Amino acid sequence: MLATQWARLRPDQSQRIRLGAWYRVVRLTPLEAVLDINGRPVGVPRPSLQIITSAPTRWAVVARPATAGGRLPTSWGPRYAVCPQCRTRTRLEPHAPSMKCPKCGGHFDIGWEDP
């Protein structure tokens, strides 16, 4: 049995999934990864993804997309954080080494240096 893998969209890619959020990989083919997104299988081109072999444990730091419009509060500034456990987006605490998720209560380091 294969170990569970996790994938997220590479920062320089544009697909129909959220930037920074990690999703469980259901199936991999040479060209595509099928991800479990809210209980539904969604195929994404494999080159568009960063894939890891263990569950994410750090907040993802995401640059605010130009297309965000009103979906993200402007008070969050040019970057925001995505929780590795529940995928909630929230304001990034400047220069903090870690922070607590306002939704799931998990406390995680911030992936400042992560790709």
Side-chain angles (χ1 to χ4, degrees):
M1 182 173 179
L2 294 175
T4 301
Q5 294 179 309
W6 300 85
R8 71 175 173 184
L9 197 59
R10 292 185 184 278
D12 61 344
Q13 297 295 304
S14 176
Q15 294 292 326
R16 60 186 186 277
I17 63 175
R18 284 189 18 212
L19 287 171
W22 289 99
Y23 299 98
R24 188 174 59 84
V25 175
V26 176
R27 184 176 64 249
L28 283 175
T29 71
L31 299 177
E32 180 181 67
V34 177
L35 308 180
D36 177 358
I37 299 180
N38 298 324
R40 294 181 319 135
V42 176
V44 178
R46 193 169 175 171
S48 298
L49 298 171
Q50 174 188 2
I51 299 173
I52 60 174
T53 57
S54 59
T57 59
R58 295 159 45 114
W59 285 94
V61 177
V62 181
R64 181 188 184 88
T67 59
R71 293 189 325 254
L72 299 172
T74 56
S75 62
W76 288 2
R79 298 183 295 181
Y80 62 93
V82 179
C83 178
Q85 184 167 298
C86 71
R87 297 190 295 269
T88 291
R89 295 177 281 194
T90 192
R91 185 177 73 81
L92 188 60
E93 297 292 336
H95 311 293
S98 63
M99 58 188 221
K100 183 178 178 179
C101 178
K103 182 176 180 184
C104 71
H107 194 270
F108 307 101
D109 289 342
I110 300 173
W112 291 108
E113 292 84 30
D114 292 351

